[in-house]
Amino acid sequence: MHFNILTIFPEMFPGTLAGGVVGRALERGVWSYDAINIRDFAINNYGSVDDEQFGGGAGMVMRPDALGAAIDSVKNRGKIIYFSPRGPRLNQHMVREFAADADATYTLLCGRYEGIDQRIIEEYDIMELSIGDYILSGGEIAAQVFVDSCVRLIDNVLHGGAESTANESFEIGGLEWPLYTRPSAWRGRKVPEVLLSGHHGNIERWRKQQSDAITQERRPDLIKENEK
Ligand code: SAH
């Protein structure tokens, strides 16, 4: 999988993506990225890529001429995604679809300031994608969320392979059951007996019950979604 990342802060990459299983996958060449500095395509020698908003109002907007030149510099773009609170909210189902082709290329556009000129979105038929209902100061963290969530689904990135991704929250039709590890007693708190029993049928039933109860209590919307 390859990501072209358009940003005015290329030094923010790989950032969090250098660590853990995703970082090891980067070293192994399972995925790669180019961080392209939008300022290299600035409209003047001061490195300007933004300007005042037509119609007035506080905050700057990223200019289409600078952004267009930056996008044009990328030869193999694949799908272009602009991270924006206006897009559909990324969820695990969508991540599965993005990650289905391990050889896919994505071009990720990280906004700053108030956002980007609308004409860029139309000119390049760009998909907008939100990572949640809150405002970040830039799209770089959103891009890292996107890359991390996609890459960990590629075969052989996680130790447990397909089983460990299939057993997680959202994948199991709800939220994960409570997790326990050694020691079996800690500060007087014991691990539920059933998990020490070695009885796989009972363990599976307990996990399902717990998962259902937690999902019902915390995210009833997920249950409705599954019934659709
Ligand atoms: N004026 C915009 C917010 C701009 S925030 C609005 O009201 O919708 C600056 C940049 O951060 C955006 O261009 C976008 O790239 C990124 N960003 C902010 N919040 C985001 C979110 N929830 N999901 C994805 N990207 C986001």
Side-chain angles (χ1 to χ4, degrees):
M1 204 170 283
H2 181 76
F3 303 91
N4 304 301
I5 301 162
L6 296 160
T7 170
I8 59 169
F9 295 114
E11 69 277 11
M12 289 183 178
F13 293 87
T16 64
L17 301 170
V21 288
V22 172
R24 271 197 296 283
L26 176 62
E27 281 167 13
R28 278 166 32 219
V30 173
W31 69 282
S32 57
Y33 76 97
D34 286 312
I36 297 136
N37 191 347
I38 299 169
R39 286 207 195 283
D40 290 346
F41 304 89
I43 50 125
N44 58 26
N45 291 335
Y46 304 110
S48 302
V49 297
D50 59 304
D51 215 322
E52 291 165 348
Q53 208 177 144
F54 279 127
M60 306 297 269
V61 175
M62 296 181 94
R63 293 177 55 116
D65 41 9
L67 278 178
I71 295 171
D72 288 344
S73 78
V74 179
K75 291 295 161 269
N76 181 18
R77 291 176 211 143
K79 191 188 259 309
I80 309 180
I81 296 168
Y82 167 52
F83 295 102
S84 154
R86 296 193 314 195
R89 243 180 314 169
L90 185 65
N91 61 33
Q92 188 65 12
H93 175 73
M94 292 156 75
V95 172
R96 279 265 169 216
E97 283 181 2
F98 286 120
D101 176 8
D103 295 319
T105 293
Y106 294 105
T107 295
L108 310 180
L109 182 47
C110 305
R112 281 274 156 179
Y113 316 108
E114 286 308 310
I116 67 174
D117 189 288
Q118 180 65 26
R119 291 167 292 181
I120 280 290
I121 296 173
E122 291 160 13
E123 175 76 10
Y124 293 94
D125 193 20
I126 291 175
M127 175 184 191
E128 293 182 75
L129 207 57
S130 167
I131 64 159
D133 292 344
Y134 41 79
I135 306 295
L136 300 166
S137 46
E140 287 76 10
I141 292 174
Q144 291 186 17
V145 166
F146 181 84
V147 173
D148 184 292
S149 60
C150 287
V151 166
R152 64 193 295 288
L153 290 183
I154 300 174
D155 282 348
N156 300 321
V157 169
L158 291 189
H159 299 303
E163 201 200 328
S164 55
T165 63
N167 269 340
E168 283 169 321
S169 294
F170 310 120
E171 303 280 2
I172 55 175
L175 303 176
E176 193 172 58
W177 49 80
L179 306 173
Y180 295 93
T181 184
R182 292 189 188 87
S184 56
W186 177 74
R187 297 194 182 172
R189 295 170 187 273
K190 293 201 177 112
V191 170
E193 207 60 54
V194 59
L195 297 178
L196 309 174
S197 70
H199 191 300
H200 293 297
N202 287 350
I203 291 172
E204 215 168 294
R205 260 190 301 282
W206 180 85
R207 285 179 168 166
K208 175 89 172 73
Q209 272 166 11
Q210 293 285 320
S211 162
D212 287 350
I214 290 171
T215 307
Q216 181 65 56
E217 183 190 314
R218 301 185 187 178
R219 292 293 303 278
D221 57 299
L222 292 177
I223 297 168
K224 282 200 205 92
E225 208 167 281
N226 290 329
E227 282 165 358
K228 266 192 234 157

